[in-house]
Amino acid sequence: MSRIARMALCALLWSGVTAAAGAQEITVGLGSEPTTLDPQAQEDGSERAVNDNIYETLMVRTADGSLAPGLAAAVPTAVDATTWLVKLRPGIKFHDGSAFNADTVAFSINRIINPKFKSAQLSFFNTIANASKVDDLTVKIITKGPDPLVPVRLYWMKMVPEAYAASDKFAAAPIGTGPYKFVAWNRGSNITIAANPDYWGAKPQIQKATYRFVPESGTLLAGLMAGELDLVPNLLPEFIGQVPKSAHIQSVLHPVLILNADGGITKDPRVRQALNYAIDKEALTKALFEGYGKIDQGQLLSSDDFGFDKTTTAYPYDPAKAKKLLAEAGAANGTLQIVGTSGRWLKDRETVEAVAAFWEQAGLHVDLKILEWNEYLKRLWDRQSRPDAIYVASKDPLLDPDRPFSTYYQAGGMGASNTDPKLAELVTKARTEINNEERAKLYRESIRIAHDQAYLAWLLTYEDLYGLSQRLTFSPRPDGKMLVSTMSVAK
Amino acid sequence: MAADNQANWAARRRIAAGWAHHLWHDKAGLFGLAIVVLLIVVAAAAPLLAPYDPAAQALRDRLLPPAWLAGGQLAHLLGTDQLGRDVLSRLIFGSRVSLVVGAGVVLLAGAFGTALGMLAGYCGGRVDDFVMRWVDTQVAFPGLLLALVILVVVGANVPSLIIVLSLNGWMVYARMARGSVLGLRQLPYVEAAQMIGCRGRRVIFRHILPNLTSPLLTLSILEFARIILAEAALSFLGMGVQPPGSSWGLDVAIGKDYMFRAWWLVTFPGAAIALTVLGVNLLASWLRVVTDPREREKQFARRMARKRHAEPVPAAAASVEARP
Amino acid sequence: MGRYLLNRLWHGAIVIFGVTAIVFVVTRLVGDPVGVMLPIEATAEQRASFAHELGFDRPIIEQFGSFVADVAHLDFGDSLWQRRPAMDIVFEKLPATLELTLVGVGLAALLAVPLGIMAALRPGRLADQATVFMSLLGLSVPQFWLGLILVYIFAVRLHWLPTSGVGTPAHLVMPAITMALPALARLVMTVRSAMIEELNQQYVKVARAKGLPALRVVGAHALRNAAVPVLTMTGWEIIRALAGYSVVVETVFAWPGLGLTAVQAITRHDLFLLQAVVFTVAVMVVFTNVLLDAMYQMADPRMKMR
């Protein structure tokens, strides 16, 4: 073919692309290319965005966020403190025709918990000791200790086909049980998936989805505005007015500042309370996030979350009281160090800068340090010397208090800045309490202690924003999954 | 001695007057000089000129457009950014980073490169071999890429930017200095100076260095322009000056996220970079002309030719003369 | 000539070794990648066990030893994130970078020659001054800024071109122009001064005095001699682009080349992939340099051999 003919053909193909894909096709813009399509290897949001449609999990979150059986036939049952039985749905096949059964489930679980597999997701599952087949449709899971979270964890673990997972093509051309089949991966450019005609559940409306990788957020937005893209996640609130359509939902991220209760100016609880009173959370939400957020009611949880305590509410914005408390503690005009980082979480730097400004207004001298990620992590994990205040966005994809509380409330947790024995005991107890009623009670009690002692400066929970093309209908989900099967296009 | 000095001064004054005269005729050069002077004044007097503290945020006044647009306020002439900070004030203070990084790198890399280049050219032999090998090796390094990696390690701030960019940029000076010294060493007066027993240091500082000043000056200014762009590029990639510090490059990088909502965040610092670099480049090209006798002659001839254009001169002859 | 080239290649090998060693040291200083790969809530024990499985808890000397041994047969290990050989990824991304670089710089060279000649024929006149001024302007505009503004005008406002990505010639237009502009500016200046130089040579004056038309003189004589500096500068532009400036353009336009890969490897602390990328870029820069030298030698035998 002559070069001119080839160019003409390309131009023709391009004109096809600009016609914003066919009626039942959509294009999704991602900020980065998935590093792999092995669903068990990395902690990678772009990988999840694609694989959430190809693979499925034993448990799922429904549209309102509650836990329900997915590939499992029913909610797993605890036989004793460390043994769980999972019944599986019959008659499900992987895209390559191989059967989904107890063998594949046991394989999937044992694969991800094997340290040699080096899964970056292991920290979600390492309470599990092993899994084995009971019969073709029943799996037994043994945990290292009592673990009430097994059903929750199973919502985060994707099931992979045993035979194919050994193939070296597995990470590049995935095969799952989901409503969409993998079609092609043009490295550096896009990934295509298409509806699975043999899917066991409801048939999706959208027949084909293409994921394009665009690292520059401005360019990504330009694509949405130019009609090349139908869906762009992680939209900045400023652009709600610019994009054709938008959708939003409560995020799983809770930006907070961890206050050092063991030393320095923040050792006095009155200072920590004053710091909470000094922050105008309402203004922060309105101004920085354009109102797309809710004030964190002082608990590191959202109001729909398990364990949420209705009796605890956010410290109100009261600068006079803040100044008074600081004066009482002899900390007026004191100096306070804040450590933050930049570019990791939505408006992380701006949030810290705004908080610093509020604290300066309360009369403190703020020494603000924005550190590069690895430097920041060193400070966050340094158990010897804690910064007066360190910013972090607590993330809880499992939608359960255990992980954030163990990390930021419990003494000795990776990010905790207190040595409160009572609080630590409550969190430890909750971790092994099988009875959900009891467990929720323990969490509510921990929340009250943490709040009264002001171990953190709570800010808000912002909302995840999605930019949509005019023709796309999509209701964001509390678990953040972008399930194409729940979307539809007009026309 | 005194008379000698006086003659010297007179000569210098004549040269200066010549430059001034030339500058007046070279409007582009004048424009460049004006921009550079403006930049220096603005950077030096930033606290006096800036209407606000560049870090002072007013969350309720965020993303205000420039004053002449609907919704803009006279108090914020060029609008405000995503934290309600005054864009004009940030622009004024940002000039300091460009200037400090640019000047710092030019001084550091220039001093180091020139010294090594002169040493290589003057000593020759093994020293020359070694230095030029080193230069060749470093020139072949993927500069910007390594700079990115190194900045991640040492942490991006103004001093580390200066050091990393200097490590990347001293080789041009070394090559130029060596080349000039090699040429100068064969000139009769340098040979004479050596012959009558002038010591090496004296030869270098009295006879060679003065001859290097004008090419060095031109090169430094061109490098200055390049460094400003490099700093901006590194900041754009997130490996330059870090917040809460401020620089034009960083402001473009942050503003790009808001490009479709607030075009002024990207446009003004970007234009400031472009204008500054343009001014510096214009100044450099003017300087190259005035300090190079050959170029000066050419310009003179061109002017003469234009003057004579009214007279009936054969066209071909005139145009040949115009290019001596 | 042969000995000279051999000498250059030997020198190139030293450069590549130097870069490799520096990259190893620097990437290890970046810190182990565990902090970036695991969720921030993972416990200390989980981190330690992960680092152990990746081999990052071994003494640094031991790591360097096995690194050098592997590099000796071009094995850069597996990318930490993608879990496949780092060199495979590099070879996958290389064509895109080469395409962008060659088209961008080629475009610049093609445009620079006529523009530069036009300016050189009448130095000091309006066309010349305009060319010089535009070149200076082109040199002064930051590339990333130009790219963003092009996207805004031609993709978002006018819908003439796609915003980013690859696939069709239309995708290449804006990245290539962004890549070309500063190179074009520098090349125009080079062509112009080389041509002015040549046009002032005695032989050209003689030819013109004999009444040969200006264009023939330019075409037949001057251009050939001016070709050497122009080719050299074009080579330099390619090196510049490869050595890092493609990073900026690739980032703005989501162009899946080595530059973008390098930036991602840096942010993800994918040390093995980063080493492979920097190594490859160094090899290409060295190779272009040698090629340039050889061309220089062939074009101008008077050049003193070093």
Side-chain angles (χ1 to χ4, degrees), chain A residues 247-425:
Chain A
H248 54 90
I249 189 146
Q250 186 125 301
S251 145
V252 293
L253 282 168
H254 293 251
V256 292
L257 287 108
I258 307 161
L259 306 176
N260 183 13
D262 293 334
I265 185 170
T266 46
K267 192 172 167 71
D268 191 318
R270 285 170 298 187
V271 173
R272 300 197 300 270
Q273 286 159 357
L275 293 176
N276 271 293
Y277 282 119
I279 301 170
D280 187 349
K281 285 145 288 233
E282 192 73 38
L284 201 67
T285 313
K286 281 230 172 69
L288 217 46
F289 299 94
E290 310 244 324
Y292 289 99
K294 277 196 192 126
I295 294 175
D296 185 332
Q297 296 300 331
Q299 27 198 321
L300 210 57
L301 296 178
S302 308
S303 53
D304 304 332
D305 286 353
F306 179 80
F308 184 85
D309 179 36
K310 288 193 181 67
T311 61
T312 304
T313 52
Y315 284 88
Y317 174 52
D318 190 343
K321 188 156 187 188
K323 279 193 183 138
K324 193 171 143 255
L325 281 169
L326 283 176
E328 278 172 26
N333 303 317
T335 303
L336 177 131
Q337 192 191 56
I338 307 182
V339 173
T341 186
S342 177
R344 188 74 186 184
W345 295 292
L346 183 64
K347 302 204 179 204
D348 43 13
R349 182 176 46 77
E350 284 100 325
T351 307
V352 175
E353 285 179 338
V355 168
F358 284 126
W359 287 351
E360 296 237 330
Q361 279 165 21
L364 293 165
H365 301 282
V366 175
D367 169 21
L368 178 59
K369 292 246 184 304
I370 304 284
L371 302 178
E372 182 272 326
W373 181 245
N374 256 358
E375 288 302 309
Y376 164 82
L377 284 184
K378 268 185 211 149
R379 287 309 309 268
L380 180 67
W381 293 336
D382 184 349
R383 305 301 323 153
Q384 259 59 55
S385 88
R386 306 297 297 166
D388 296 329
I390 183 163
Y391 170 92
V392 76
S394 162
K395 185 182 172 194
D396 178 29
L398 295 183
L399 301 173
D400 186 276
D402 176 46
R403 215 170 147 85
F405 283 22
S406 320
T407 312
Y408 302 113
Y409 281 165
Q410 188 184 21
M414 290 301 285
S417 291
N418 72 76
T419 40
D420 190 324
K422 179 87 175 86
L423 184 57
E425 196 198 316

Side-chain angles (χ1 to χ4, degrees), chain C residues 5-136:
Chain C
L5 271 186
L6 215 66
N7 196 6
R8 296 296 300 176
L9 281 174
W10 167 237
H11 180 232
I14 296 177
V15 172
I16 290 165
F17 180 79
V19 173
T20 315
I22 288 177
V23 167
F24 178 85
V25 172
V26 168
T27 47
R28 290 318 133 116
L29 289 175
V30 171
D32 72 63
V34 179
V36 187
M37 294 184 74
L38 292 192
I40 188 169
E41 289 86 5
T43 61
E45 303 86 70
Q46 286 163 354
R47 274 168 221 294
S49 127
F50 192 71
H52 174 73
E53 293 300 333
L54 291 179
F56 282 108
D57 58 345
R58 290 183 299 157
I60 199 87
I61 297 293
E62 198 186 314
Q63 289 186 44
F64 184 67
S66 56
F67 170 71
V68 170
D70 288 344
V71 168
H73 32 296
L74 274 189
D75 175 8
F76 280 84
D78 283 3
S79 153
L80 293 175
W81 280 86
Q82 305 192 27
R83 299 193 172 186
R84 55 197 184 113
M87 263 300 162
D88 287 6
I89 300 168
V90 167
F91 284 126
E92 207 173 272
K93 307 287 181 190
L94 189 57
T97 293
L98 288 181
E99 183 187 1
L100 180 61
T101 306
L102 294 181
V103 172
V105 176
L107 186 73
L110 276 184
L111 288 175
V113 172
L115 280 175
I117 292 176
M118 200 179 73
L121 281 176
R122 297 252 180 284
R125 295 296 173 79
L126 192 66
D128 177 44
Q129 285 185 341
T131 312
V132 170
F133 186 78
M134 290 309 288
S135 304
L136 284 176

Side-chain angles (χ1 to χ4, degrees), chain B residues 133 136-137 139-142 144-145 149 152-153 229 232 236 252 259-260 266-267 270-271 273-274 277-278 281-282 323-324, chain C residues 11 15 19 22 26 29-30 121 123 136-137 139-140 142 144-145 148 152 200 208 236 243-244 247 262 266 281 285 306:
Chain B
R133 249 312 130 91
D136 285 350
T137 309
V139 165
F141 276 22
L144 193 69
L145 207 54
V149 180
V152 170
V153 178
L229 285 177
F236 174 79
V252 176
M259 194 161 135
F260 302 101
V266 171
T267 310
I273 298 170
V277 177
L278 179 67
N281 276 329
L282 286 172
R323 297 179 203 105
Chain C
H11 180 232
V15 172
V19 173
I22 288 177
V26 168
L29 289 175
V30 171
L121 281 176
L136 284 176
L137 198 65
L139 272 180
S140 311
F144 55 87
W145 193 59
L148 287 174
Y152 187 71
N200 283 324
R208 294 184 94 174
W236 268 107
V247 174
I266 290 173
V281 170
V285 169
R306 223 186 315 124

